[in-house]
């Protein structure tokens, strides 16, 4: 039986897309079915008290389906034996809801460092923490001639906290393990019991550089759950903000990758261009990062009338500098020596983890949520799909370069076709549930939301693309020298806050 046939055999629970409730014995059949169908991607895994949910994507058919399983006696069948991307979700579910994945590949602590006053805070009955915080546990090492380098969680400069444990032989990295959770904010608990409009502020702050993308996925989930689409003008304005966010972040990442290879000039020029984009955002939407501008039902403010020329002039200024910066990137042998062949992510690994965004497309995975599920202005103006196969730092830079040019093209089209009308539609106070996919600059964000009959959030889970990309960074850095880790890390640019919840 296929994965989707197996899921559809469960009891339908409604929702958009449809969610089916499987008995534990049925859910336990999923790993074998998934092993036989590599094209079915695991998008996300999360829970409610005594209930586990999983979202799947059939990439060939472009179909989404959700499966749920009762966690009897606090246990449920693990998916990680067939989908390694499930490992960190299963660790998170165990710590937040107290539900254990039977047969899971790794059940070490992830978010909880032993310092929370309550254990399993989202469970029906959280427990009090009476055990002193212990040291983190890392995988054992056997053999001779290796040593370990601990880095973080505090890093130089302005960067989120995360611990990296390198096992090296000489200068060669033979293993990298990550330890995150330092920016855990209790976001899910803060959202529960609130209206989508009130809780939208938490979604906007889940990962600040993706505030538009996370806000949009959250808003679209609420709108789909209540069958209340945003007005057309709001959809166009959202797309403008989304592409402005992508443009600013890709410029920033390109510059910092060059800087981590000790070539500072591109960072200076690309940083200047990014600053121009942020200032245009402030002129157009009243905030440099456009935080709290996307809300359930539409947008919080219309495009300032005088801002259109500012936006267009900024796009022209960025576009004018791109050929020269690309030539500088190509023509400096010392830079090319650092990025070409460094931090290679094999296409088969990118496919197994369903890596999205630049990370996936630089390793031959042809997925973009804007193309797979076009909506609003993207339905009439699809983005280009920049794909590389080398999977190295250089490939990830070149995908960003192509997407910068494409975002400029899309922005001009969206601004030229901006429809008139309202920018906000209030959501009705009624129940429902839905999953929304939005292509942020890192990849697709998958936000699931369930509303009770009063229109308040009963359950929610915003899945950042970094959940499926962080483990791949561990694989990509193996066999590289320690000095190349900053290059690999920046070329992935995963979010710490986005997975720490």
């Amino acid at each position: 039986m296929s994965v989707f046939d197996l899921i559809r055999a469960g009891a339908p629970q409604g929702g958009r897309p449809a969610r089916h409730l499987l008995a534990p014995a049925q859910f336990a059949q999923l790993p074998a079915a998934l092993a036989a169908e590599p094209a079915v991607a695991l998008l996300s895994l999360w829970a409610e008290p005594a209930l586990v949910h999983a979202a799947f994507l059939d990439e060939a058919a472009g179909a989404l389906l959700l499966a749920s399983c009762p966690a009897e006696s606090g246990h449920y069948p693990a998916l990680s034996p067939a989908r390694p991307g499930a490992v960190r979700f299963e660790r998170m579910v165990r710590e937040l809801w107290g539900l254990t994945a039977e047969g899971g590949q790794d059940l070490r602590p992830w978010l909880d460092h032993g310092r929370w006053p309550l254990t399993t805070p989202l469970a029906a009955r959280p427990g009090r923490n009476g055990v002193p915080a212990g040291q983190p546990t890392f995988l054992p090492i056997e053999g001779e001639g290796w040593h370990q380098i601990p880095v973080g969680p505090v890093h130089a400069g302005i960067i989120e906290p995360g611990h990296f444990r390198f096992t090296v032989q000489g200068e060669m990295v033979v293993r990298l393990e990550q330890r995150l959770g330092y920016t855990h904010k209790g976001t899910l608990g803060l959202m529960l019991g609130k209206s989508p409009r009130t809780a939208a502020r938490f979604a906007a702050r889940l990962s600040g550089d993706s505030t538009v993308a996370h806000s949009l996925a959250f808003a679209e989930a609420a709108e789909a759950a209540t069958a209340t689409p945003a007005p057309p003008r709001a959809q166009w304005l959202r797309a403008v903000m989304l592409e402005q966010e992508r443009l600013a972040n890709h410029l920033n990442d390109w510059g910092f990758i060059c800087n981590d290879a000790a070539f500072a000039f591109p960072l200076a020029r690309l940083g200047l261009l990014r600053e121009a984009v942020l200032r245009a955002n402030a002129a157009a939407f009243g905030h440099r990062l456009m935080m709290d501008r996307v809300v359930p039902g539409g947008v919080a403010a219309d495009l300032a009338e005088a801002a259109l020329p500012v936006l267009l002039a900024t796009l022209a200024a960025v576009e004018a500098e791109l050929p020269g910066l690309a030539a500088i990137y190509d023509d400096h042998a010392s830079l090319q020596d650092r990025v070409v062949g460094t931090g290679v992510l094999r296409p088969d690994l990118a496919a197994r983890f369903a890596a999205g965004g630049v990370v996936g497309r630089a390793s031959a995975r042809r997925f973009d949520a804007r193309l797979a599920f076009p909506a609003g202005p993207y339905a009439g103006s699809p983005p280009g799909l920049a794909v590389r196969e080398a999977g190295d730092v250089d490939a990830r830079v070149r995908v960003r370069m192509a997407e910068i040019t494409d975002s400029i093209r899309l922005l001009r089209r969206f601004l030229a076709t901006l429809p008139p009308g309202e920018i906000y539609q209030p959501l009705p106070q009624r129940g429902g549930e839905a999953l929304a996919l939005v292509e942020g600059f890192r990849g697709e964000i998958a936000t699931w939301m369930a509303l009770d009959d009063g229109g308040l959030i009963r359950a929610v889970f915003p899945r950042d693309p970094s959940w499926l990309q962080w483990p791949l960074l561990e694989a990509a850095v193996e066999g590289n020298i320690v000095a190349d880790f900053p290059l690999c890390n920046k070329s992935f640019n995963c979010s710490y806050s986005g997975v720490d919840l």
Side-chain angles (χ1 to χ4, degrees), residues 33-406:
L34 288 166
E37 295 185 66
V40 176
L42 173 70
L43 283 183
S44 187
L45 183 86
W46 67 100
E48 294 183 67
L51 191 63
V52 172
H53 308 292
F56 299 95
L57 167 69
D58 185 337
E59 296 190 40
L64 291 165
L65 206 61
L66 276 64
S68 300
C69 175
E72 298 177 351
S73 302
H75 296 80
Y76 64 97
L79 297 180
S80 52
R83 289 294 181 270
V87 166
R88 296 191 179 181
F89 292 118
E90 291 173 353
R91 293 168 71 178
M92 175 268 299
V93 166
R94 189 182 192 194
E95 291 181 307
L96 294 184
W97 287 278
L99 308 178
T100 300
E102 287 292 324
Q105 300 295 293
D106 188 349
L107 296 176
R108 289 174 296 162
W110 178 243
L111 296 174
D112 187 354
H113 295 184
R115 302 184 185 277
W116 297 351
L118 296 176
T119 61
T120 63
L122 298 182
R125 294 182 178 179
R128 291 204 170 273
N129 183 14
V131 179
Q135 291 296 314
T137 303
F138 295 96
L139 296 177
I141 302 293
E142 296 180 0
E144 297 181 357
W146 57 264
H147 63 280
Q148 290 189 329
I149 305 173
V151 178
V154 179
H155 302 279
I158 301 172
I159 185 173
E160 295 173 281
H163 180 79
F164 299 97
R165 183 66 60 99
F166 297 88
T167 301
V168 301
Q169 285 185 322
E171 275 293 300
M172 192 72 66
V173 178
V174 297
R175 176 185 289 167
L176 167 64
E177 280 195 83
Q178 302 147 359
R179 173 72 160 153
L180 304 184
Y182 297 94
T183 57
H184 176 72
K185 303 164 289 295
T187 301
L188 302 185
L190 291 170
M191 290 180 174
L192 297 180
K194 294 179 174 65
S195 68
R197 183 62 189 265
T198 301
R201 290 181 58 82
F202 298 112
R205 288 155 179 79
L206 189 67
S207 187
D209 55 8
S210 299
T211 183
V212 173
H214 269 291
S215 296
L216 183 52
F218 183 89
E220 288 188 353
E223 291 156 8
T226 57
T228 311
R233 183 173 179 84
Q235 295 181 34
W236 258 251
L237 290 173
R238 288 171 166 185
V240 169
M241 287 188 249
L242 190 64
E243 294 306 320
Q244 286 283 111
E245 183 174 79
R246 190 185 324 278
L247 177 60
N249 281 303
H250 280 350
L251 290 169
N252 191 60
D253 288 350
W254 180 8
F256 269 99
I257 291 168
C258 294
N259 189 65
D260 282 339
F263 191 32
F265 175 76
L267 173 63
R269 297 305 305 169
L270 289 161
L272 184 65
L273 296 178
R274 174 181 179 267
E275 175 63 22
V277 173
L278 297 182
R279 292 185 181 189
N281 292 343
F285 301 106
H287 195 285
R288 288 164 58 87
L289 299 179
M290 301 166 289
M291 189 171 284
D292 298 324
R293 291 334 187 234
V294 175
V295 297
V299 294
D302 207 340
L303 179 68
E305 186 174 344
L308 183 58
V310 176
L311 286 172
L312 293 174
T314 302
L315 296 178
V318 173
E319 189 175 49
E321 286 219 38
L322 292 179
L325 289 167
I328 289 171
Y329 176 81
D330 287 332
D331 293 345
H332 281 73
S334 60
L335 176 60
Q336 290 295 302
D337 181 64
R338 293 293 306 279
V339 297
V340 174
T342 300
V344 175
L345 172 63
R346 301 196 318 268
D348 63 307
L349 274 179
R352 285 191 70 195
F353 279 78
V358 169
V359 172
R361 290 191 284 275
S363 295
R365 184 167 182 256
R366 306 180 66 84
F367 182 79
D368 186 318
R370 296 172 296 173
L371 286 168
F373 303 97
Y378 292 110
S381 300
L385 188 65
V387 178
R388 296 269 173 166
E389 297 186 357
D392 56 5
V393 172
D394 178 63
R396 292 187 281 276
V397 171
R398 294 188 185 279
V399 170
R400 286 182 171 94
M401 293 164 64
E403 292 190 1
I404 288 170
T405 301
D406 198 54

